[in-house]
Amino acid sequence: MKKLFKPFSLVLVIATLMSLIPTPVFAQEVNGNLANSMGPLTLIPPIVAIILAFATKNVVLSLFLGIFTGTVVIQYAGGANMLLGILYGFTDIVDYVLASLADPWNAGIILQVLVIGGLIALITSTGGARAIAESLAKKAKGPVSTQLITWVLGLMIFFDDYANALIVGPIMRPVSDKMKISRERLAFLIDATAAPIAGIALISTWIGYEVGLINDAFQSIGQDVNAYGIFLQTIPYRFYNILMLFFVLITSVTLREFGPMRKAQKRSRDTHELIAKGSHMENQDEELEVVVKGKTSVWNALIPIGSLIVFSFVGFYTNGRQAILDSNNAAVIQVIENSPFSFVSMREAFGASDASVVLFQAALIASIIALIMGVSQGHFTFGKGIDIWVNGMKTLMITGVILLLAWSLSGVMGELGTADYLVSLLSGTMPPVLLPTFIFLLGAIISFATGTSYGTMGILMPLAIPLATAMQPGNPDFVIMSTGAVLTGAIFGDHASPISDTTILSSMGAGSNLMDHVKTQLPYAVAVAIISILFGYIPTAFGMSVMLALPIGMIAIVAVIFIFGKKIDTTDNLSEE
């Protein structure tokens, strides 16, 4: 009860303060954006959720109380007194959760998470996970090669950040555990190669959304551009994405760590505790262990996982192609019909696909394949296989709960206009050379507070491109740089946020406690972000070539790692020098 007292006390304090503020008349504004009228009160939900998440390490409670304070603020804005505001605010939580679950995209994401959990359980039960771990272990001679293999796998699953988080973790976890690499470090490896690579890949589930935002923003200022061409030009300016991938590579090769990650690696090396004591993920592996009957083979893992990837690619194309054919975009339809397998067609189809549906379908097919393989090889009966699959889904049930609450919190903040208030609060006159940096920081703050990179991109892109065009007319590089800053700042904030879905999925995939993952990853994300600003956006805004800024940024990354980091070889039980 003592652990719950402080969070509820915080909510009570907020409610008391709100009750002391004269209740304004919002009757005409309740159905609109409350950002202008509520001001700083719109920041209460994300602040409560984030502070409590760090303070209590209980993400479910923190998100719930964040939603609750948000619904109370909304009721307060409608003119309700504090008692009724608390009462109706509590009942409104159900409405937001149901609305989140009713969204087809959200429902598809939860289904794919659960089904992939069942798939991993089947692969584990047939011995496929153990066999592939033993096979990889032959190549992974130590922590360096293990982390490099994880990094490469992360780059290979470039087409979707969710698939990356849920595939790489379960594959590499046994090998990583054998090398005494902490679960926090594994979660970082996964998270740092999920959104950063999916956001800049030439073909991925992100591209259609990003290109669409770019196109709409340019059209709003009367310019008809090749949006995909603009996207390609932003890639060198995606400093955070590129430098984070480089940061992971260098720290993996040198084994140098700093901050909380260094402590986690020392704990894993010296005490063999892969997960910090008291973490909620400690018994996850035992829940998935099933005695294997018969000979194990790497094909028991490679075939189901390979089918997941293959059917994902096929699904992205067919689903996106059908969506395009059903649309009114005559130009793209003509390209799809005339050259169905050209690069342009593939790019457009992937961008138009519904990743939530496709990945769910692919995971279901892969599960059926894994089930048939397990039964045919005598590892379990058909009925037992179904039980294993269902039990595997149960292990990721908490992930679904957290995602639902995170989406509900996002819905509350959307109604309050939290992001709009942040934009109005932080915007103002500034020197043009600082605009890309400002956009990057603003995107980071919004995405960190809201836990969504997509939503942040959608808010800032229509503002950034017209603003950059007006500040430096006739300078296309400046506009492209500012466009890249929107996309990259959103990914940085999302990467660091404890309420981000990709952060949640990465920790679950690695078998790490969520808040342990956030605390160890945050200093690394901030360090790379600072380097991205100091050696990326500021010098390029002053006219430095991006092809010169990128190598300088990489040198800065190496310098930071060697200055602040110390080598932690988790296979070395000797005391640190």
Side-chain angles (χ1 to χ4, degrees):
M1 291 298 293
K2 289 182 178 179
K3 291 183 178 179
L4 295 179
F5 180 75
K6 289 184 178 180
F8 281 108
S9 297
L10 178 59
V11 176
L12 183 60
V13 169
I14 293 171
T16 303
L17 290 174
M18 289 172 57
S19 66
L20 297 176
I21 303 174
T23 306
V25 179
F26 293 119
Q28 296 178 349
E29 301 180 17
V30 174
N31 295 326
N33 193 321
L34 304 178
N36 294 330
S37 56
M38 294 302 294
L41 292 181
T42 63
L43 300 177
I44 288 177
I47 289 175
V48 168
I50 291 170
I51 289 178
L52 292 183
F54 279 101
T56 67
K57 295 186 179 181
N58 191 320
V59 180
V60 172
L61 175 64
S62 303
L63 288 173
F64 179 85
L65 291 179
I67 298 168
F68 179 46
T69 54
T71 55
V72 171
V73 170
I74 291 173
Q75 288 293 328
Y76 175 71
N81 61 50
M82 189 48 55
L83 182 61
L84 288 177
I86 292 174
L87 177 63
Y88 291 134
F90 185 82
T91 58
D92 285 348
I93 295 175
V94 177
D95 295 332
Y96 281 99
V97 173
L98 289 176
S100 298
L101 187 59
D103 183 273
W105 170 271
N106 294 348
I109 293 299
I110 289 179
L111 286 174
Q112 64 149 300
V113 167
L114 296 179
V115 173
I116 288 179
L119 171 63
I120 297 303
L122 288 172
I123 292 173
T124 302
S125 299
T126 58
R130 188 179 69 191
I132 199 170
E134 292 172 351
S135 177
L136 286 172
K138 295 177 182 178
K139 298 183 181 295
K141 303 298 183 182
V144 172
S145 53
T146 299
Q147 293 185 67
L148 287 178
I149 290 173
T150 306
W151 183 75
V152 171
L153 283 175
L155 297 183
M156 291 173 62
I157 313 295
F158 62 86
F159 54 88
D160 185 75
D161 54 331
Y162 291 157
N164 189 314
L166 292 170
I167 293 174
V168 177
I171 289 178
M172 292 306 301
R173 194 189 308 160
V175 186
S176 175
D177 289 353
K178 184 178 180 180
M179 298 301 168
K180 304 186 187 71
I181 296 171
S182 65
R183 293 288 179 83
E184 293 96 323
R185 175 66 187 180
L186 178 61
F188 169 68
L189 291 170
I190 296 168
D191 206 353
T193 53
I197 187 62
I200 60 175
L202 299 183
I203 294 179
S204 77
T205 53
W206 285 55
I207 302 308
Y209 182 72
E210 293 177 323
V211 171
L213 290 177
I214 293 171
N215 185 66
D216 291 344
F218 272 102
Q219 286 189 347
S220 70
I221 58 175
Q223 294 186 22
D224 188 14
V225 299
N226 182 339
Y228 187 74
I230 297 294
F231 164 79
L232 292 178
Q233 293 178 64
T234 67
I235 291 178
Y237 293 100
R238 309 285 287 277
F239 294 110
Y240 181 81
N241 299 51
I242 297 170
L243 294 179
M244 176 53 76
L245 294 172
F246 184 72
F247 181 92
V248 175
L249 174 63
I250 299 302
T251 53
S252 298
V253 170
T254 63
L255 297 179
R256 288 180 174 270
E257 311 283 357
F258 58 85
M261 188 70 78
R262 177 169 166 264
K263 294 180 180 179
Q265 288 289 80
K266 283 186 64 179
R267 180 203 70 226
S268 183
R269 180 195 66 184
D270 297 338
T271 68
H272 297 182
E273 293 176 1
L274 302 174
I275 309 173
K277 287 184 178 180
S279 297
H280 299 297
M281 304 298 298
E282 287 181 298
N283 297 320
Q284 185 192 52
D285 293 339
E286 284 77 359
E287 295 175 2
L288 294 179
E289 288 298 329
V290 177
V291 177
V292 177
K293 297 179 181 180
K295 186 178 179 180
T296 62
S297 169
V298 294
W299 295 109
N300 287 345
L302 292 180
I303 291 178
I305 293 174
S307 64
L308 174 63
I309 296 173
V310 169
F311 283 108
S312 294
F313 268 100
V314 173
F316 286 138
Y317 177 76
T318 56
N319 182 277
R321 182 178 185 274
Q322 189 59 48
I324 291 172
L325 294 178
D326 292 340
S327 69
N328 297 322
N329 194 332
V332 179
I333 291 175
Q334 185 176 5
V335 172
I336 289 288
E337 291 178 340
N338 294 339
S339 305
F341 300 109
S342 65
F343 176 79
V344 175
S345 296
M346 296 285 286
R347 180 196 74 209
E348 296 291 342
F350 270 58
S353 65
D354 186 335
S356 64
V357 172
V358 170
L359 289 172
F360 167 58
Q361 293 171 337
L364 190 59
I365 295 173
S367 296
I368 294 172
I369 292 173
L371 178 63
I372 294 173
M373 291 181 67
V375 173
S376 63
Q377 294 174 15
H379 294 304
F380 42 70
T381 63
F382 184 81
K384 180 63 176 177
I386 295 295
D387 291 339
I388 292 170
W389 186 65
V390 172
N391 286 331
M393 289 194 287
K394 289 179 181 178
T395 63
L396 288 183
M397 191 68 71
I398 186 62
T399 306
V401 172
I402 294 173
L403 286 174
L404 269 179
L405 291 176
W407 290 326
S408 301
L409 179 61
S410 179
V412 169
M413 290 186 293
E415 186 165 343
L416 283 171
T418 303
D420 294 335
Y421 174 72
L422 282 172
V423 171
S424 63
L425 180 67
L426 298 174
S427 61
T429 59
M430 70 185 71
V433 293
L434 293 181
L435 180 63
T437 297
F438 172 77
I439 291 173
F440 176 83
L441 291 174
L442 185 58
I445 292 171
I446 294 173
S447 58
F448 182 85
T450 60
T452 169
S453 53
Y454 272 32
T456 303
M457 293 174 187
I459 292 166
L460 288 184
M461 193 66 77
L463 302 174
I465 289 179
L467 189 57
T469 303
M471 278 188 157
Q472 289 203 3
N475 187 353
D477 290 340
F478 185 75
V479 179
I480 291 169
M481 184 192 315
S482 300
T483 304
V486 172
L487 303 175
T488 309
I491 287 179
F492 160 55
D494 180 80
H495 189 207
S497 175
I499 60 176
S500 161
D501 46 6
T502 49
T503 305
I504 294 166
L505 293 177
S506 295
S507 65
M508 295 298 175
S512 169
N513 175 268
L514 173 59
M515 292 314 301
D516 290 342
H517 167 46
V518 172
K519 287 195 301 183
T520 52
Q521 175 169 270
L522 187 57
Y524 287 179
V526 171
V528 175
I530 292 173
I531 292 173
S532 299
I533 293 171
L534 296 181
F535 299 93
Y537 289 113
I538 290 179
T540 51
F542 274 101
M544 178 184 288
S545 169
V546 68
M547 294 307 170
L548 178 60
L550 273 175
I552 293 176
M554 291 179 179
I555 293 172
I557 289 287
V558 175
V560 167
I561 292 171
F562 274 85
I563 292 172
F564 296 101
K566 290 188 177 180
K567 185 175 181 179
I568 303 291
D569 188 341
T570 53
T571 59
D572 182 6
N573 290 318
L574 298 176
S575 60
E576 184 185 7
E577 296 180 356

